[in-house]
Amino acid sequence: MWLDSFSDRAAGQDGFSFDVEYHVAVQGADAGSLDKQRNACATVRAIAEPALARCDVLRPWAAEQDVNLHLSSSLSRRGVGAVVAGARIVVRVDGETADVAGRLANARQVAKVDAVERERLRARMAFLEREVIRDKAALRLYLLAEEIEQGRQIPDRHIEELESLADEVRQWSPANAWVATAKILHDYFDRLHPRHVETLVSTLRDSIRDHDNLDLLDRFDTVHGPRA
């Protein structure tokens, strides 16, 4: 015997909710028992709600089909004598929920595209640093290949600018021993007591001054402040 249908809201993915209409049938002997009817409805909800929680509110028809299949399979395993004789649900999603869920899905898609583009850019930058700007000959060979592929000539002025840029990038490359040394010193200073850091900074300033590197001394004092 099919009971009167009832409606409820059930959570789907990402905190969005479905509007669910439940249809539950009970064994003929249990049809007149209110407790058995409530138990049957609760049993169906206990099966359907966790399944709906894995469903996308932008695909209500798929959710309905999947959960009804899950209900049929779960109820058939309950065996003879079970209170629930059958069950099915009807799934709907209101317009506002679908609109918000759609905007979230679009935002995620845009974020994925952005992440792919960032990864592509990082890979290209790593390639340029590792393979192209390691020396001027490699840079010119790369530019020649670009000219051949694109069918256009790169002006000498641009080549000179790129070579200058390549020199600057190589200067601050992690492969540069002095860059690696500076990082070690940075990490070392972070582990020292501030008083000991101050002592080392003062010693370094004195060394810069004693070797008459006045331009570097000015830059040093701009960062750390002049000493009396």
Side-chain angles (χ1 to χ4, degrees), residues 4 8 13 25 40 53-54 69 81 93 126 136 141-142 145 148-149 158 164 195 199 205 217-218:
D4 291 338
D8 197 3
Q13 290 180 353
R54 300 188 293 270
L69 180 62
V93 176
K136 293 183 178 181
L141 184 61
Y142 173 79
I148 294 173
E149 182 177 346
H158 289 176
S164 176
R195 182 176 68 256
T199 299
R205 184 184 186 279
L217 185 64
D218 288 340

Side-chain angles (χ1 to χ4, degrees), residues 110-122:
V110 170
K112 287 181 180 179
V113 172
D114 288 345
V116 169
E117 285 299 312
R118 286 195 299 271
E119 187 60 34
R120 184 194 62 79
L121 181 59
R122 277 194 292 267

Side-chain angles (χ1 to χ4, degrees), residues 35-103:
D35 287 341
K36 294 292 182 64
Q37 292 178 13
R38 289 174 175 170
N39 183 48
C41 293
T43 297
V44 172
R45 286 179 48 248
I47 297 172
E49 289 179 359
L52 284 167
R54 300 188 293 270
C55 296
D56 186 349
V57 294
L58 293 177
R59 303 178 66 225
W61 287 106
E64 182 176 303
Q65 293 171 8
D66 291 347
V67 176
N68 278 328
L69 180 62
H70 180 60
L71 275 171
S72 176
S73 175
S74 298
L75 292 174
S76 66
R77 293 196 299 266
R78 294 177 64 85
V80 179
V83 174
V84 182
R88 62 182 177 85
I89 64 170
V90 177
V91 175
R92 299 182 182 88
V93 176
D94 64 75
E96 183 178 358
T97 297
D99 182 56
V100 175
R103 291 202 300 271

Side-chain angles (χ1 to χ4, degrees), residues 207-221:
S207 178
I208 295 173
R209 182 198 60 201
D210 293 344
H211 287 84
D212 294 326
N213 290 300
L214 300 183
D215 59 327
L216 296 180
L217 185 64
D218 288 340
R219 289 165 58 188
F220 191 88
D221 286 346

